[in-house]
Amino acid sequence: MILEVKNVEYAYKSQKERKVLDNISVRFEEKKLYSIIGASGAGKTTLLSLLAGLDKPTKGTVLYEGEDILAKGLDYHRKNHVSLVFQEYNLIDYLTTEENVKLGGTDRPEELLSKVNIPKEAWKRNVMKLSGGQQQRVAIARALASKAKVLLADEPTGNLDEETAAGIMELLKGTAHELGKCVIVVTHSKSLANEADEIVQIAKGMIADPGHLV
Amino acid sequence: MNGFGLAWRSVIRKPIKSVLLFVTVFTISLLLLSGMSSGKATIKMQDHTRQAVGAGLLLEENEADRHRRIEELSRQLGHKEGSYGGYHQEKITVNGVENWRTWTDNSFETLLIEDIEAIAATKGIADYNITTVTTAARPVDFIRIEDEDVDQYSDLGGVSLIGNKDMSMDSNFLSGNAFITEGRMIQEGEKDVCVISSELADKNQLEIGSRIRFGKCRDKEGSMTYEAEVVGIYQVKQPIAPYMFGDTYRSENIIFTDLDFPEKVDGKAGDPLYEKAYFKIADVNDYENVKKSVMGADIAWERYDLIDNNGNMNTLSTNFNEMEKYSRALVWVISGAGLIILFLIFQFWMKSRNREIGIMLSMGTLKIRILAQIMTEALMIAAAAVLISFLAAPGVSGLTADYLVEQQIQSAEERDLLDEGKVAFSYEKSGQDVLGVEAEITSGMLMQDAGGIALLITISVCVSGIVILKRNPKDILQNL
């Protein structure tokens, strides 16, 4: 087990009574692709934010390899334990394709760009000149460049057509099975979620699928 | 890729924001330099009433500085009786009404001997003379020349003493207006000797070798008198211009003495009042170079006017109306406005880079490193802008100084017009024309400018950064 949330609760500071996540406990393992699904406002993205160390839970703990991520600090957790892929790709607009991948922490972006099928002629081009699908592949390559054992993706196919989305999902699957990383994907799409090894369903801030409850 | 690598890529590849900051910093830097140099500018003036004779330079007290020093000392003393720095004030009651009496002593008014000696030590100065202020003295055993048609009630009833270190360099003799008819001039180092006018000699049957006595002018009953030997008799082609109104100061009653005699007679031995210093230049062909060297002497120049043989003199902006004050105000206004503009620019930077900041935070980059990257970018652009402004500054600061001087002259003229016949000035305004302005940019100004810009940028980046970076990464990413 690489990542675990234990009795986690989360509420916004402005609405303390309304719990976005209510006593959630779930574990994630390496070499597996997880999908987190649920209706809008169910708390999927909030759970991903807590796993990513972008925010702190109101109650409960997030553990990485059995240790509370707050122990070494959230910055450390984000830098060393997890890598992130977003729906909006979130690439740095003044860097080239290669340079964006280098930001992930590698000096050899070529291998990763080849792996995610970015044509060579696009490597030195400004990343904003690439198509949406290509930009998301570059974002995945940047996430893969990190030595982190966990890859978290928030609606990575949300802005892509079906065919491209399927390709991205294959890439994430490969990342889990071939590279041995723990890949956790938040998605709306049930068909894409079904590609995962395990599905975590959230409804009204709680785990809806009892099969994954601890 | 490190922060510096990201910074320079951002500077080069996001030109609009870079150009915006470049132009702003360039303008601020240029105006700051202009303000600083105007505040230290030298205004080249010509005085119609004063000029050094021959190949020499004349040092006199600057009236505007004297006026300012009095105001400063008066401010320091406040509404209290007392003395400070040669300035005195006391409360007096006249007809039941309380008033303040203020006066200055010789230590306040005199040219400083150490400054005179510093100039005299400049290479190219062959010799120098010091002339005392015209001092009224009471003739004890001789009669002065008087105009019989004038009521002498308000006159001091004295004669005028002018002491010289080297009488041959007194302006009256140097110009050829006064000349010795009998005897000789007073030589340096002599004590208790004098040279009198031929009119005074005739009236009193005085000859070379005669001894005459003087007393303190206002102390008519005083027993302290001082004797001087007549070593020469002079005549003038044109009467010497009187120092003040009245027969005490008329040309025939002027008696030249050794340097220390006037202060002794005035009861202030050891406390001289030197009014002028004349510096003789060794090589007349080297006049301009020596003048430049003299102006480089390490003395408090704001206290003096150095006048050349054309009546030209350099006046520091401190002594030119409100020039320094306006220049200083310009620097403060530019700094304040600069800070606000820079803050707004960095606010725009931060907002337009919200995504980038969010991405960096999501990758675990520390907030301080993000701020450092933005600071690096800002300083890179600012360094380029400041360097270019250094090149443009000499031209622009000259124009700014010219403009400020012109404004000062105009407002002074308007003020004089309004004050005409209503305001009495504490000093006589001499006829002076502005010939030009010299605004120099010194290395100290460049350092101050660069330091000031760096400080403005640091403050505005930090303040702008706090607004964005105090939010947590989730909030930033949610707003993208």
Side-chain angles (χ1 to χ4, degrees):
Chain A
M1 185 197 39
I2 184 119
L3 204 56
E4 181 183 5
V5 289
K6 216 172 179 179
N7 308 117
V8 158
E9 282 183 21
Y10 185 86
Y12 290 110
K13 280 174 191 163
S14 53
Q15 295 170 285
K16 283 185 179 164
E17 298 78 30
R18 194 185 153 261
K19 288 178 183 167
V20 181
L21 294 177
D22 190 2
N23 197 28
I24 277 189
S25 295
V26 62
R27 290 173 169 182
F28 301 95
E29 290 170 13
E30 285 174 272
K31 298 180 187 176
K32 276 189 178 176
L33 172 67
Y34 295 85
S35 63
I36 301 175
I37 59 165
S40 293
K44 324 182 279 296
T45 299
T46 302
L47 177 60
L48 196 82
S49 300
L50 298 181
L51 292 170
L54 293 170
D55 207 348
K56 283 186 264 192
T58 319
K59 262 188 194 169
T61 48
V62 179
L63 305 166
Y64 178 84
E65 292 183 334
E67 187 184 23
D68 189 342
I69 61 170
L70 291 175
K72 283 183 178 161
L74 296 181
D75 292 328
Y76 183 87
H77 177 67
R78 291 199 301 270
K79 192 172 176 64
N80 299 291
H81 300 160
V82 296
S83 54
L84 282 155
V85 175
F86 302 91
Q87 182 178 355
E88 297 292 337
Y89 325 136
N90 284 349
L91 297 165
I92 304 230
D93 59 0
Y94 57 84
L95 296 181
T96 63
T97 304
E98 263 184 355
E99 288 163 352
N100 265 286
V101 177
K102 277 185 183 175
L103 274 186
T106 180
D107 289 332
R108 300 181 64 193
E110 304 84 6
E111 282 174 26
L112 291 164
L113 286 169
S114 302
K115 195 176 183 67
V116 298
N117 290 327
I118 299 294
K120 209 171 178 181
E121 60 271 20
W123 292 1
K124 294 201 185 297
R125 216 184 287 163
N126 180 284
V127 77
M128 290 296 123
K129 291 188 176 154
L130 271 56
S131 69
Q134 284 177 323
Q135 285 189 33
Q136 193 59 295
R137 285 168 187 277
V138 174
I140 292 169
R142 185 181 67 193
L144 294 178
S146 155
K147 289 187 175 67
K149 291 178 183 171
V150 180
L151 191 152
L152 302 165
D154 187 10
E155 304 275 9
T157 56
N159 288 345
L160 305 174
D161 60 73
E162 245 176 70
E163 198 184 329
T164 315
I168 294 291
M169 211 57 194
E170 277 305 311
L171 197 57
L172 294 172
K173 231 196 267 185
T175 303
H177 299 152
E178 289 158 29
L179 300 177
K181 297 201 179 200
C182 167
V183 180
I184 303 167
V185 180
V186 165
T187 181
H188 268 110
S189 164
K190 280 196 175 165
S191 60
L192 286 174
N194 286 334
E195 299 283 324
D197 300 315
E198 293 198 32
I199 299 171
V200 178
Q201 193 170 349
I202 296 183
K204 294 181 182 172
M206 290 185 281
I207 302 289
D209 183 354
H212 296 284
L213 288 173
V214 180
Chain B
M1 192 182 300
N2 60 25
F4 186 77
L6 276 173
W8 79 255
R9 282 174 174 88
S10 168
V11 168
I12 303 291
R13 294 177 189 171
K14 293 191 118 183
I16 292 176
K17 73 161 175 53
S18 302
V19 167
L20 178 67
L21 182 66
F22 180 91
V23 171
T24 308
V25 173
F26 173 78
T27 310
I28 294 171
S29 170
L30 205 53
L31 290 173
L32 280 178
L33 281 171
S34 299
M36 283 191 273
S37 68
S38 299
K40 300 281 175 204
T42 306
I43 297 106
K44 295 187 171 298
M45 303 186 80
Q46 189 169 41
D47 194 318
H48 308 305
T49 57
R50 297 182 293 172
Q51 61 182 51
V53 184
L57 292 164
L58 188 62
L59 187 76
E60 290 187 11
E61 186 182 46
N62 180 281
E63 274 299 339
D65 178 70
R66 175 185 177 273
H67 196 58
R68 192 178 49 248
R69 281 191 292 133
I70 288 176
E71 280 178 356
E72 273 171 22
L73 293 172
S74 162
R75 214 176 11 250
Q76 281 180 30
L77 279 174
H79 291 285
K80 279 184 278 181
E81 287 188 318
S83 304
Y84 190 64
Y87 170 80
H88 313 270
Q89 61 184 34
E90 68 176 18
K91 211 178 262 181
I92 53 165
T93 307
V94 181
N95 298 331
V97 180
E98 269 192 359
N99 270 308
W100 285 95
R101 184 170 90 91
T102 65
W103 73 99
T104 55
D105 62 25
N106 288 359
S107 69
F108 179 89
E109 300 285 357
T110 188
L111 303 186
L112 301 174
I113 187 72
E114 56 269 29
D115 290 347
I116 295 171
E117 284 171 351
I119 294 175
T122 309
K123 198 179 167 197
I125 299 293
D127 204 354
Y128 70 104
N129 178 40
I130 302 170
T131 304
T132 67
V133 73
T134 304
T135 308
R138 178 168 54 89
V140 175
D141 56 2
F142 64 98
I143 302 162
R144 67 173 191 160
I145 312 284
E146 277 183 9
D147 187 340
E148 286 172 6
D149 299 330
V150 173
D151 179 8
Q152 298 293 338
Y153 179 75
S154 57
D155 191 73
L156 292 169
V159 292
S160 298
L161 304 183
I162 297 176
N164 278 295
K165 173 179 166 285
D166 182 345
M167 192 179 160
S168 66
M169 281 188 275
D170 181 279
S171 58
N172 297 292
F173 289 89
L174 213 55
S175 65
N177 184 48
F179 52 94
I180 298 288
T181 52
E182 274 183 65
R184 59 173 175 83
M185 286 193 190
I186 298 163
Q187 282 153 12
E188 191 176 344
E190 281 189 288
K191 297 283 175 203
D192 302 330
V193 284
C194 64
V195 172
I196 59 173
S197 67
S198 55
E199 292 85 352
L200 210 54
D202 290 346
K203 187 158 182 120
N204 293 282
Q205 283 94 47
L206 295 171
E207 309 171 335
I208 305 300
S210 301
R211 301 185 81 82
I212 50 177
R213 296 193 76 81
F214 302 89
K216 192 173 175 181
C217 206
R218 289 180 184 83
D219 186 18
K220 292 203 164 61
E221 308 304 319
S223 56
M224 283 295 284
T225 58
Y226 298 90
E227 194 178 66
E229 182 189 343
V230 177
V231 296
I233 294 170
Y234 74 89
Q235 265 185 4
V236 291
K237 292 174 186 166
Q238 295 292 326
I240 299 170
Y243 182 68
M244 280 188 199
F245 180 77
D247 278 343
T248 296
Y249 300 100
R250 66 185 289 158
S251 184
E252 297 89 332
N253 288 332
I254 291 174
I255 297 171
F256 294 94
T257 70
D258 60 85
L259 188 63
D260 301 334
F261 196 72
E263 69 194 57
K264 219 157 52 180
V265 173
D266 205 30
K268 292 169 184 164
D271 182 21
L273 177 43
Y274 301 141
E275 191 188 35
K276 293 174 192 171
Y278 176 83
F279 302 93
K280 190 174 163 186
I281 289 171
D283 181 2
V284 69
N285 297 320
D286 205 23
Y287 189 87
E288 286 304 318
N289 287 335
V290 177
K291 185 178 161 188
K292 263 187 202 160
S293 304
V294 165
M295 282 157 64
D298 185 21
I299 64 170
W301 278 110
E302 66 274 10
R303 204 182 161 113
Y304 303 110
D305 287 336
L306 184 75
I307 310 153
D308 72 8
N309 51 12
N310 287 317
N312 294 330
M313 58 182 186
N314 293 334
T315 297
L316 300 179
S317 61
T318 9
N319 293 333
F320 189 77
N321 300 339
E322 308 276 352
M323 176 96 170
E324 197 196 22
K325 204 169 104 186
Y326 279 95
S327 304
R328 213 169 27 228
L330 180 70
V331 170
W332 281 112
V333 168
I334 298 299
S335 303
L339 186 64
I340 293 166
I341 294 166
L342 287 172
F343 170 73
L344 293 173
I345 286 177
F346 289 120
Q347 277 282 304
F348 163 72
W349 269 37
M350 296 288 179
K351 280 193 177 156
S352 65
R353 301 176 73 171
N354 231 0
R355 180 180 295 275
E356 185 186 339
I357 293 169
I359 296 166
M360 301 305 281
L361 288 173
S362 75
M363 291 197 298
T365 308
L366 295 174
K367 287 177 178 178
I368 193 81
R369 284 197 63 179
I370 296 172
L371 200 62
Q373 185 202 319
I374 292 168
M375 185 83 82
T376 309
E377 284 176 35
L379 291 175
M380 279 165 130
I381 297 166
V386 166
L387 281 176
I388 302 290
S389 77
F390 285 178
L391 298 176
V396 176
S397 58
L399 290 175
T400 309
D402 275 343
Y403 175 77
L404 285 175
V405 166
E406 214 168 283
Q407 290 298 307
Q408 290 294 305
I409 293 169
Q410 210 173 324
S411 64
E413 281 171 359
E414 284 166 9
R415 204 166 45 235
D416 286 350
L417 214 61
L418 286 170
D419 292 343
E420 208 169 64
K422 297 178 201 164
V423 177
F425 289 95
S426 62
Y427 59 93
E428 181 87 15
K429 288 187 166 184
S430 51
Q432 294 173 350
D433 285 336
V434 173
L435 300 179
V437 186
E438 206 172 72
E440 200 188 356
I441 304 279
T442 63
S443 54
M445 286 175 195
L446 297 180
M447 300 267 280
Q448 274 181 29
D449 178 63
I453 295 283
L455 186 69
L456 289 180
I457 284 180
T458 307
I459 294 171
S460 38
V461 167
C462 288
V463 174
S464 313
I466 287 165
V467 177
I468 300 290
L469 296 177
K470 72 176 183 188
R471 297 165 66 194
N472 74 21
K474 182 170 169 255
D475 294 337
I476 295 174
L477 287 164
Q478 257 177 357
N479 289 339
L480 298 182

